[in-house]
Amino acid sequence: PLDAATVYFGALTIAITGLGHLAGKEVRILADGSEQPAQTVSLGGTLDLESAATTVIVGLPFESCLQPMPWDLNMEDGTSAGRKVKAGPVSALFYKTGACQFSDGPGKVWRDVVFRRNEDAMDSAVPLFSGWAKLALAAAFRESIDVLLRTDGPLPLNLLALSPTQTVHGQ
């Protein structure tokens, strides 16, 4: 997701013009499906790509962040609410996703979800990923399972479902 984005479709080019509304701003760039390094647009409203492309999207980054409600597990003697839980991996179902980071909760370390596979060509954009991926949370007993997901680049993040595994302690 990019804000105030401009899209270029055309012949193979390195120079992108018509970015006056982004002059002096640091922008993110998606060129032929691959993210290029962030750049600052010149005061004249131009920038040069790292490598030539035919389809380019240039815009301002913004962070999209998702924090689901706490999970409650139904048990024989009630629910897991108010008990200590130990998070196992969380399975995330993505649809046509190119970038995602996850964290164990507010203020914790962010880690990348890796979508590149061994069979993907190394000299082209990583294909958008659809399917399940495991998010390895820190294994520790705590009040609730917190997981946050975010992106701030030009590649899409489409999350369809989250499925936690957990161990419950106490009564």
Side-chain angles (χ1 to χ4, degrees), residues 98-154:
C100 179
Q101 292 184 312
F102 71 97
S103 174
D104 287 74
K108 304 288 182 163
V109 174
W110 288 96
R111 293 180 297 267
D112 291 324
V113 178
V114 178
F115 295 114
R116 183 176 287 282
R117 296 180 179 177
N118 290 340
E119 62 269 16
D120 294 337
M122 295 301 289
D123 59 349
S124 62
V126 177
L128 296 179
F129 176 80
S130 294
W132 289 96
K134 294 272 190 204
L135 311 179
L137 303 181
F141 279 101
R142 49 187 153 181
E143 297 297 321
S144 66
I145 297 177
D146 292 317
V147 62
L148 283 80
L149 296 113
R150 75 174 182 187
T151 187
D152 65 354

Side-chain angles (χ1 to χ4, degrees), residues 56-113:
V56 181
I57 304 171
V58 178
L60 299 171
F62 66 91
E63 182 176 276
S64 299
C65 189
L66 168 77
Q67 181 177 9
M69 297 293 290
W71 280 294
D72 236 356
L73 181 65
N74 288 326
M75 302 175 64
E76 288 181 18
D77 60 344
T79 70
S80 61
R83 303 179 193 193
K84 296 277 187 186
V85 294
K86 183 177 182 180
V90 172
S91 295
L93 179 58
F94 294 102
Y95 176 72
K96 293 187 179 179
T97 295
C100 179
Q101 292 184 312
F102 71 97
S103 174
D104 287 74
K108 304 288 182 163
V109 174
W110 288 96
R111 293 180 297 267
D112 291 324
V113 178

